[in-house]
Amino acid sequence: DADVTQTPRNRITKTGKRIMLECSQTKGHDRMYWYRQDPGLGLRLIYYSFDVKDINKGEISDGYSVSRQAQAKFSLSLESAIPNQTALYFCATSPGDYGYTFGSGTRLTVV
Amino acid sequence: GIQVEQSPPDLILQEGANSTLRCNFSDSVNNLQWFHQNPWGQLINLFYIPSGTKQNGRLSATTVATERYSLLYISSSQTTDSGVYFCLTGSQGNLIFGKGTKLSVKP
């Protein structure tokens, strides 16, 4: 099994729908992250969590929410999806400030 | 906030050539990492290099924090080196990715 598993791998959804992207990790790390990647813009941080009771907004949190259900699980929700949220989404985990392990990504298309 | 610039944005090499990728940052940092995103989208951590020099096989990285830049060297490039190289830098709680350098290595 992969160290960081993201589901689904691909998703097409309609404008206005609620959607959840899930992430689980087997690394045993406390820190987890959600990033968004758009062509030519690199990766931008949406939310991060340093432990189960710690949730922090990142650079571009508007329109997103997260839930840290356990040390190993960190889910990202789009409450009402819009087309400009079409992107590649990555979950990552780390033991500290470095040593990031990324999931394989979720390609989300909002139509 | 911190500004991160990577250069060049695109680079095309013939297999066997050497290359240098650069990451400039606008403020003092205590964290700098290099990542490789392969053509299938997978992101791999290459180096944690807040200062000094490290080497791993054909890849090496140098960060001169006082002058606010980091360099990633790729020697004897191979087609498998193709992809996008990102730097991630800043201070705890405020780490920013650069926009990347897209490297294409031709056989």
Side-chain angles (χ1 to χ4, degrees):
Chain A
D1 288 344
D3 292 328
V4 181
T5 301
Q6 292 185 231
T7 55
R9 290 296 309 275
N10 292 282
R11 179 74 181 266
I12 300 174
T13 192
K14 293 184 177 180
T15 298
K17 293 291 187 182
R18 184 180 189 277
I19 182 170
M20 179 182 291
L21 310 183
E22 299 189 3
C23 176
S24 62
Q25 52 108 348
T26 58
K27 300 287 284 185
H29 295 162
D30 286 327
R31 300 187 182 192
M32 296 189 75
Y33 313 83
W34 275 105
Y35 285 92
R36 166 181 173 157
Q37 184 176 23
D38 298 278
L41 293 181
L43 285 85
R44 292 179 292 167
L45 183 61
I46 306 172
Y47 272 95
Y48 62 101
S49 169
F50 282 179
D51 66 41
V52 175
K53 297 182 180 179
D54 176 75
I55 302 287
N56 302 283
K57 293 182 177 181
E59 200 180 341
I60 53 163
S61 59
D62 287 349
Y64 301 95
S65 62
V66 291
S67 173
R68 184 82 185 266
Q69 301 94 325
Q71 185 203 39
K73 296 184 182 294
F74 192 35
S75 60
L76 176 72
S77 294
L78 287 67
E79 298 301 326
S80 179
I82 56 177
N84 77 0
Q85 291 177 313
T86 293
L88 184 56
Y89 290 84
F90 285 99
C91 174
T93 185
S94 73
D97 287 343
Y98 60 95
Y100 284 57
T101 302
F102 281 84
S104 298
T106 293
R107 187 167 298 279
L108 176 66
T109 303
V110 183
V111 298
Chain B
I2 187 171
Q3 304 297 312
V4 182
E5 292 187 7
Q6 290 188 242
S7 59
D10 295 278
L11 185 58
I12 300 174
L13 297 175
Q14 206 66 34
E15 197 168 28
N18 302 327
S19 61
T20 301
L21 284 58
R22 187 176 182 103
C23 174
N24 290 336
F25 41 93
S26 60
D27 294 321
S28 299
V29 301
N30 58 18
N31 191 327
L32 193 132
Q33 302 175 55
W34 284 97
F35 294 84
H36 175 221
Q37 185 173 36
N38 67 23
W40 297 270
Q42 186 65 39
L43 281 151
I44 303 297
N45 197 323
L46 297 175
F47 292 103
Y48 171 67
I49 182 92
S51 63
T53 297
K54 287 186 178 178
Q55 182 157 4
N56 184 2
R58 295 181 297 103
L59 274 60
S60 65
T62 295
T63 297
V64 184
T66 54
E67 296 187 20
R68 300 182 181 172
Y69 72 88
S70 181
L71 302 175
L72 178 68
Y73 303 97
I74 304 174
S75 65
S76 304
S77 59
Q78 300 175 359
T79 56
T80 52
D81 295 329
S82 295
V84 184
Y85 291 81
F86 293 101
C87 64
L88 171 67
T89 190
S91 302
Q92 183 177 351
N94 188 26
L95 294 177
I96 303 294
F97 275 92
K99 294 181 180 179
T101 291
K102 183 176 180 181
L103 175 64
S104 299
V105 181
K106 305 298 185 185

